[in-house]
């Protein structure tokens, strides 16, 4: 099967001067890859007609699809639109449905439509307009000599909505791309290299048309299985069979199938079981609570937290015994266990978790270097603690610790043991 | 003065397939802009010799400097190095100092050096090697027909260190770029459009060689003044004079000169004045505490927080009166004021702040729609509250609210009033 090749051209000085990071291209790269279209080059160019034309001329020698973002909108003088109108030797015409969309947007905002915005509804006659329900600049789809040229605004949420609603389905149909099915299996608590060891034999035995990708990120590794075929239903079954095998090999490290964060997965588990949770944080300083409360609906299971940065707060608000702090210090198994057990009592929840450690970059000692962190979990059956050892980066230490606590909660909820 | 033009080429399928976001280019764009070098194009290409050569051939028709990242390192078969060796018609030779660096890195890691890593010290004879103190792949600097070609590893911290230590100073010297001085003035609590109105007259009167850039980001607008000239000392004085004028025009919105986050600026103010702070959070769910504790050394002024997601916690742990909750609801001026005043008492701090609102996307009512948020500030002189109204995005609402509270603290500490 010959690959369909795409190139992305982003237009705008703000990317070249580093004022914004180009996250659009990575998103497009991911989505195009998912439907079997291969991105060959991404080119970021300046707001200049000559540069746009040069980039188009170059890209069409290599690609079947050219996706452009940016250079649309009244403050940019709709440069891309003007260039494309001339590039495809056509003229601008009023596109009534686009005008209606622009008028609707201004009506919603309660503002008068300006002449500049009205002009955004004038589009090259040779293009198929792509509806933009979230902004005033419509997209444009051109076809010439079997190649497709697409122009979209650079505003990420407008571009993403257009791609998802219109452009990706249309590209799939136009190029008759094969069926491609992805399944994501999310793991936590196991480093990529150890995971790769455990999965080596299984991966070697995968059918030719199913591929595995390791996508590590902060605190976990996403495994993505991608199958290519003709019959969607059969492909679906084949991939599911591999996912089932995977679950046999690493049952204790999988926390979700599909795109779901660890905090969302835990939220679902807590909701299903009607359990509640409270947190007591020292070194994570609120970040653990933030992760849990970033999930909409978390108030159903999350009661609250005491952030005890000062030792007095640990004693007064969390009931940690002064003797414990004196004998073992704030960063100790004994302290963190008292914090978890007491916050659970105090907030009247089923589960209590706690963190105490040296986030750094300063504050370490030879016995307890920076990155020494204790975490604890308490429920009505048990109170257990775990020692973590990270490095010197304060924010990373905070983030890794929060992930480790969430994983401790997950392990208890799913009643698995670490291998 | 003719501009010196640079292009960036990033090499690696992982960018094209969207597996990583190219943050390197934005960083390089910012740094090159700062020394007066203009980035004309950024090109991301695949791990392929033919594609690298094509990109180089194209770039050299437009640019004086071509910066490449990626395609180095043993797992990539050092593709870029092999291609450049042939492109510049030279041969690979052992570079002893680079070998010593690689050996040193392996010694530190306590591991045996492999043959593959030893080969990384073989470099094209025609290049000036660029030292990499953080990794095993040295950089390469080529000069040909007045143009400079630079190859660096794609690992962000290695690339940044090489650029800062060696490449940026060397480019400045090679192209004799003019003196360029930047000063950043950071504002908060004023939207970009209103700021632009207030600054219009001043901006119009800026000297020809001093330019202003608006760099808006979450919760604030950074103003960057860039001056170009021959005499660094004179230029410094001229820009400072403009910064002084700026401070006269918008004294109440400036929180820092230079690169400093709002939470770091507040930390400095609190430390200077020997003041302490505690937080009581409902809708921000720990994010406000996280911002404050993300600053190293924050334990000197930050005592802790009660996160009161559940109303019982507001009553029991924060002493909010049940009548207040009943009469006014959790999202109200009365509740948030009690939270701020009581957390201050409870944690024995100089300042208490509080948040309570509907972060969304669900949970709104006609009287209190999603995005309705009350914040409060309390010290020994006063307790004051402020109503915020945002939209439906939960995470943005949380982030904007935290910024608004930090700004409330800043305003009280600097004893300014809102215009």
């Amino acid at each position: 099967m010959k690959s369909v090749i795409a190139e992305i051209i982003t237009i705008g000085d703000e990317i070249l001067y580093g004022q914004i990071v180009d996250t659009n291209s990575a998103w497009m790269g991911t989505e195009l890859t998912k439907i079997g279209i291969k991105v060959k080059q991404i080119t970021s160019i300046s707001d200049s007609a000559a540069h746009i034309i040069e980039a188009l001329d170059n890209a069409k020698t290599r690609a079947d699809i050219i996706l452009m973002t940016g250079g649309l909108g009244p403050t940019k003088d709709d440069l891309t639109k003007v260039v494309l109108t001339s590039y495809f030797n056509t003229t601008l015409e009023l596109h009534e449905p686009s005008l209606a969309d622009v008028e609707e947007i201004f009506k919603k905002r309660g503002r008068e439509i300006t002449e500049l915005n009205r002009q955004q509804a004038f589009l090259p006659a040779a293009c198929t307009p792509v509806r933009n329900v979230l902004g005033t600049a419509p997209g444009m789809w051109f076809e010439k000599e079997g190649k497709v040229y697409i122009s979209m605004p650079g505003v990420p949420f407008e571009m993403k909505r257009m791609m998802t609603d219109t452009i990706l389905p249309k590209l799939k149909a136009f190029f008759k791309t094969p069926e491609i099915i992805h399944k994501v299996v999310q793991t936590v608590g196991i480093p990529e290299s150890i995971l790769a060891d455990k999965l080596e034999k299984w991966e070697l035995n995968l059918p030719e048309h199913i591929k595995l990708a390791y996508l590590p990120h902060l605190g976990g590794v996403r495994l993505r299985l991608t199958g290519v075929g003709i019959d969607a239903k059969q492909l679906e079954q084949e991939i599911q069979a591999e996912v089932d095998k995977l679950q046999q090999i690493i049952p204790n490290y999988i926390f979700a199938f599909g795109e779901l964060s660890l905090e969302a997965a835990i939220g679902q588990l807590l909701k299903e079981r009607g359990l509640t949770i409270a947190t007591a944080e020292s070194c994570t300083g609120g970040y653990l609570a933030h992760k849990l409360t970033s999930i909409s609906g978390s108030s159903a299971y999350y009661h609250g937290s005491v952030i005890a940065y000062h030792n007095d707060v640990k004693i007064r608000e969390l009931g940690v015994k002064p003797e414990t702090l004196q004998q073992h210090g704030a960063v100790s198994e004994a302290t963190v266990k008292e914090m978890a057990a007491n916050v659970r009592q105090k907030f009247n929840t089923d589960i209590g978790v706690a963190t105490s450690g040296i986030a750094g970059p300063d504050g370490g000692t030879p016995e307890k270097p920076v990155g020494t962190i204790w975490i604890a979990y308490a429920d009505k059956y048990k109170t257990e603690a775990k020692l973590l050892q990270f490095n010197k980066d304060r924010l990373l230490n905070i983030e890794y610790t929060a992930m480790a606590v969430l994983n401790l909660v997950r392990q208890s909820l799913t009643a698995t043991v670490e291998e």
Side-chain angles (χ1 to χ4, degrees), chain A residues 332-395:
Chain A
S332 66
E333 177 168 8
T335 298
V336 82
K337 276 182 163 175
E338 286 187 30
M339 287 169 71
N342 294 353
V343 82
R344 178 183 167 261
Q345 293 276 342
K346 200 176 166 76
F347 281 64
N348 196 23
T349 53
D350 299 298
I351 298 167
V353 286
T355 65
S356 186
I358 302 150
D362 308 311
T365 63
E367 304 84 54
K368 292 178 185 173
V370 168
T372 305
I373 289 159
W374 277 97
I375 60 175
Y377 168 95
D379 60 24
K380 70 174 161 178
Y381 304 108
K382 63 175 187 288
T383 300
E384 52 182 28
K386 192 173 171 179
L387 176 64
L388 309 173
Q389 188 62 59
F390 299 124
N391 293 307
K392 294 211 174 221
D393 187 303
R394 183 179 183 83
L395 280 178

